[in-house]
Amino acid sequence: MEEKIIKTEYSEVMQKSYIDYAMSVIIARALPDARDGLKPVQRRVLYDMHELGIKYDKPYRKSARIVGDTMGKYHPHGDSSIYEALVVMTQEFKKGLPLVDGHGNFGNIEGDGAAAMRYTEARLQRITQEAFLSDLDKDVVDFFPNFDETEKEPTVLPAKFPNLLVNGSEGIAVGMATSIPPHNLGEVVDAVKAFMLDETITTEGLMKYIKGPDFPTGGIVTNKDELKEIYETGTGKIKVRGKVDIEKGKAGKTNVVISEIPYPMIGANISKFLMDVAALSESKKTQDIVDISNQSSKEGIRIVIELRKDADVDNFVNMLYKKTRLEDTFGVNMLAIADGRPEIMSLKQIIKHNVDFQFQVATRKYTTLLAKEREKKEIQEGLIKACNVIDLIIEILRGSKDRAMAKACLVEGKVEGIKFRSKESKIMAAQLRFTDKQANAILEMRLYKLIGLELEALINEHEETMANIYRYEDILDRRASMAQV
């Protein structure tokens, strides 16, 4: 083969290659989809658990099994990233609404990591099963081949609420990053309903329902007046303070008790906070501290700072806000994949994307259900009609040489070669015009279906099918009916 050398500018090759790499990281790894609020690795873990049948009412399965299956079928990027995604989806202190039910040591709020995947177990949460995975069998989303084209995986999960807002998201891509705070599920759902009733609603109108972020660690937002601009632009900084309670201590001393912490303090920053408080005393910036103890447990955060009797408590608390991370900043950058490209979105845009997606999913769902009901209607009407002329059907079956002859008579009225008892039967048989599906159903019908009660049940089932068809047609024809669904 003759050697062919293509001369090209090195900088152009590097630029194109880097852009391709950057877009791959942005779209396929680091950023969530605006529709279901999930990154590809999270989506793949949940879908794999669904395929393995690890449902909320079934026994837990080893995390190693889930990770291995996900990596082998859908996500060939190493087990650590898959297990990390699984762990985060179980942690109540990181997610407003955990999507996975973990059993075992999945880490804690103070920064201790999860146990190895061979020790921990997991299964789907009930809400994940019902709100993300329940309609996948109804052709509601597109599927595409996996990396080696041996399996199919969904492009997106049919999430029934804006998970991007409820659970938030954090991710660093190439040249961009996302940081979306979690919100209260009830407030988000109320805002979605308000938007569906009035699509011209303003950010201020939506904020009547969504007052602000709802961090799993609690805390108090101090710059509420800036939230409107943050929600309108999709970027900004939220200042969060820990919640401080004052309690009476022993021997007339005062205890400053921290029961809620700023969201960014999760992990190693709690121990750093304790060290910073101790440093205030060591550096003589305050003489008021007697003792510091971290009494946090599974029930929640409880950090107790014991002060001497004559301490100025208000002054000390203000010092904590200024000198430690008891007041911290959460940087908001509501960046997500919308229509195949990264986009910084406002609160209203995120809700609109999800609502539009809901209508697409509902349209596909009810189109599939309608097609199934129409198919049932066709077969039911054929069986009812057959039961009315059952003696003729039996005569055709007994007089035919094979199935093909009998079917040709039922569908096209061909009577050649069939032995009839009378000319009248032959004339009636020649007038039969069942559809292909009806003929197959008649030929496969069991004799017990001729019992009176069975026939009555068939007629009732047909009436139910007709009611479903009417309902599904109404949902598909009228946007108001679909919105109600």
Side-chain angles (χ1 to χ4, degrees):
M1 188 174 173
E2 190 181 336
E3 189 178 286
K4 188 178 181 183
I5 298 172
I6 300 170
K7 289 188 178 181
T8 184
E9 181 63 40
Y10 185 68
S11 60
E12 289 176 10
V13 174
M14 286 295 292
Q15 186 179 8
K16 184 182 181 304
S17 299
Y18 197 77
I19 288 171
D20 290 345
Y21 160 72
M23 286 308 294
S24 174
V25 172
I26 290 163
I27 304 293
R29 300 285 285 275
L31 299 187
D33 193 296
R35 295 169 293 178
D36 62 5
L38 298 171
K39 298 177 188 179
V41 64
Q42 295 171 324
R43 189 178 303 117
R44 286 164 174 166
V45 168
L46 296 180
Y47 179 66
D48 186 73
M49 291 176 76
H50 171 70
E51 287 292 285
L52 289 173
I54 312 174
K55 300 180 179 178
Y56 76 93
D57 54 353
K58 297 285 168 63
Y60 293 95
R61 297 278 283 277
K62 283 287 183 188
S63 300
R65 171 68 198 277
I66 298 164
V67 170
D69 205 63
T70 304
M71 183 165 62
K73 287 181 179 175
Y74 310 114
H75 198 77
H77 302 295
D79 56 0
S80 59
S81 63
I82 299 170
Y83 187 48
E84 192 177 321
L86 177 68
V87 167
V88 170
M89 287 193 286
T90 69
Q91 294 176 330
E92 292 180 353
F93 53 86
K94 278 194 180 175
K95 295 291 179 185
L97 191 72
L99 302 178
V100 176
D101 179 10
H103 181 66
N105 176 15
F106 277 92
N108 60 33
I109 196 168
E110 294 180 46
D112 297 322
M117 68 180 87
R118 61 182 178 275
Y119 300 121
T120 60
E121 297 176 332
R123 64 184 177 189
L124 290 169
Q125 291 276 16
R126 182 171 183 174
I127 192 163
T128 313
Q129 209 170 299
E130 294 179 357
F132 286 81
L133 301 157
S134 60
D135 290 332
L136 282 174
D137 58 341
K138 298 181 180 73
D139 188 36
V140 290
V141 293
D142 292 330
F143 280 70
F144 69 101
N146 68 336
F147 61 92
D148 62 359
E149 299 191 359
T150 57
E151 302 277 345
K152 294 267 188 177
E153 60 176 298
T155 54
V156 64
L157 294 183
K160 292 180 181 175
F161 58 86
N163 181 51
L164 192 65
L165 287 174
V166 174
N167 272 327
S169 187
E170 288 184 13
I172 300 170
V174 178
M176 56 182 69
T178 184
S179 180
I180 303 169
H183 295 79
N184 181 276
L185 175 63
E187 290 179 2
V188 170
V189 170
D190 288 341
V192 169
K193 284 156 72 176
F195 175 81
M196 289 173 73
L197 291 169
D198 176 19
E199 293 198 0
T200 62
I201 191 169
T202 61
T203 302
E204 206 168 347
L206 290 170
M207 286 182 69
K208 288 178 182 175
Y209 306 95
I210 300 176
K211 311 290 184 187
D214 186 15
F215 295 109
T217 56
I220 301 156
V221 174
T222 59
N223 60 334
K224 288 181 182 176
D225 53 328
E226 294 176 31
L227 286 176
K228 181 172 176 283
E229 187 182 347
I230 291 170
Y231 283 140
E232 279 180 343
T233 61
T235 58
K237 290 181 179 179
I238 296 173
K239 290 180 183 174
V240 191
R241 279 184 176 180
K243 186 180 176 186
V244 175
D245 298 309
I246 309 301
E247 296 178 0
K248 285 184 179 178
K250 294 175 184 176
K253 293 172 186 170
T254 304
N255 288 345
V256 173
V257 180
I258 296 151
S259 55
E260 294 177 11
I261 59 171
Y263 190 61
M265 202 197 273
I266 289 175
N269 287 325
I270 291 180
S271 56
K272 187 177 185 308
F273 167 73
L274 295 170
M275 289 165 62
D276 288 345
V277 174
L280 290 175
S281 184
E282 289 168 9
S283 62
K284 304 280 172 63
K285 285 181 180 171
T286 178
Q287 303 276 322
D288 296 338
I289 300 172
V290 176
D291 187 37
I292 311 163
S293 61
N294 185 0
Q295 300 172 13
S296 303
S297 64
K298 288 182 179 178
E299 278 67 51
I301 290 290
R302 182 176 167 85
I303 298 169
V304 181
I305 303 169
E306 191 177 346
L307 304 182
R308 59 186 175 81
K309 287 182 184 179
D310 57 342
D312 185 338
V313 178
D314 290 340
N315 186 50
F316 178 76
V317 171
N318 285 332
M319 182 186 290
L320 289 181
Y321 289 140
K322 284 180 183 175
K323 304 287 186 184
T324 72
R325 298 193 70 167
L326 192 59
E327 180 175 287
D328 213 335
T329 302
F330 182 91
V332 177
N333 191 39
M334 300 206 289
L335 180 73
I337 304 299
D339 301 321
R341 63 189 187 87
E343 187 180 333
I344 294 175
M345 291 184 284
S346 65
L347 176 69
K348 185 175 175 179
Q349 283 175 311
I350 291 174
I351 290 173
K352 183 180 187 307
H353 266 285
N354 188 264
V355 169
D356 290 346
F357 179 57
Q358 294 302 323
F359 277 99
Q360 288 171 20
V361 166
T363 301
R364 289 179 66 158
K365 175 183 174 178
Y366 287 104
T367 300
T368 302
L369 291 175
L370 181 60
K372 285 181 180 176
E373 291 297 322
R374 282 176 173 166
E375 192 175 322
K376 277 168 66 177
K377 168 181 173 272
E378 182 184 337
I379 291 168
Q380 288 163 356
E381 288 176 348
L383 291 176
I384 292 167
K385 184 180 169 186
C387 287
N388 292 333
V389 289
I390 194 64
D391 293 335
L392 178 62
I393 301 289
I394 292 169
E395 203 172 326
I396 292 166
L397 295 176
R398 292 184 68 179
S400 299
K401 290 177 182 176
D402 54 30
R403 181 189 170 103
M405 185 181 281
K407 187 176 177 180
C409 181
L410 293 172
V411 176
E412 302 168 41
K414 290 182 179 178
V415 293
E416 293 80 11
I418 300 176
K419 293 177 182 177
F420 290 96
R421 290 179 181 176
S422 64
K423 285 183 179 179
E424 287 79 6
S425 296
K426 191 172 183 178
I427 292 165
M428 287 173 67
Q431 295 170 359
L432 292 176
R433 290 295 183 274
F434 288 100
T435 67
D436 193 69
K437 287 177 183 173
Q438 288 173 340
N440 285 329
I442 291 164
L443 292 169
E444 290 164 10
M445 184 174 68
R446 296 183 178 183
L447 287 173
Y448 78 87
K449 288 285 185 185
L450 301 174
I451 299 169
L453 288 174
E454 287 291 331
L455 184 57
E456 191 178 327
L458 179 63
I459 292 167
N460 291 338
E461 197 180 318
H462 180 252
E463 288 174 359
E464 190 181 322
T465 300
M466 293 304 294
N468 285 338
I469 287 172
Y470 175 77
R471 178 167 169 262
Y472 297 156
E473 285 177 342
D474 179 58
I475 289 169
L476 290 167
D477 290 343
R478 294 174 59 239
R479 188 175 172 88
S481 297
M482 190 176 284
Q484 191 64 39
V485 170

